[in-house]
Amino acid sequence: MPDPKLRRGAVYLLRGYTFPHERDSEGVAKARPVLILQDDVENGNPRYPFVIVVPLTSRKVDAIYAEDVLLPKGTANLPETSKALLGLIFTVSKEALIRWIGQVDEDHLAQVDAVLQRLLGLSHRSEGRGSPVSRG
């Protein structure tokens, strides 16, 4: 049965993640919080075992880049002010999600959406630029 808390905007603790810049050095794979980006239809699909996420960090929250969204302490039950690192999108097995931490509010999720649209070039389509995608 699908996890009813596995929704877009949920924060989960993920088993064994290492930041890309740490993989060749001292980085240790450890449980870290992630933000669920994937649509709720796929999240609830028991036949699809994966979920799209981004890592959260409480380090260097004074340096917010265009690819980040700041999540103040208490947002989604986070114990510290954190930032969602939207430039580090990746896919994991749903089984790697250890436990639910909380749910990001609509205002912060709207900020995530805006950054993702810009970062992935999706906003260009709504502005009439870029080529249309054929669905046929």
Side-chain angles (χ1 to χ4, degrees), residues 102-119:
Q103 181 72 32
V104 170
D105 59 80
E106 290 299 320
D107 290 339
H108 286 99
L109 200 51
Q111 291 177 39
V112 167
D113 289 346
V115 171
L116 287 173
Q117 285 179 357
R118 182 192 53 75
L119 189 62

Side-chain angles (χ1 to χ4, degrees), residues 33-106:
V34 293
L35 175 65
I36 308 297
L37 297 180
Q38 185 167 279
D39 180 83
D40 290 343
V41 172
E42 296 305 323
N43 291 336
N45 182 350
R47 299 184 68 158
Y48 188 69
F50 304 108
V51 63
I52 301 167
V53 301
V54 293
L56 304 181
T57 184
S58 58
R59 299 178 111 195
K60 301 181 182 177
V61 293
D62 55 330
I64 303 298
Y65 300 100
E67 299 80 17
D68 302 338
V69 170
L70 189 67
L71 301 173
K73 177 181 177 177
T75 302
N77 301 318
L78 292 168
E80 299 178 63
T81 295
S82 300
K83 58 184 178 179
L85 304 173
L86 298 172
L88 298 178
I89 298 169
F90 64 104
T91 303
V92 297
S93 168
K94 291 175 184 175
E95 292 179 1
L97 301 174
I98 298 170
R99 70 176 168 84
W100 181 82
I101 296 173
Q103 181 72 32
V104 170
D105 59 80
E106 290 299 320

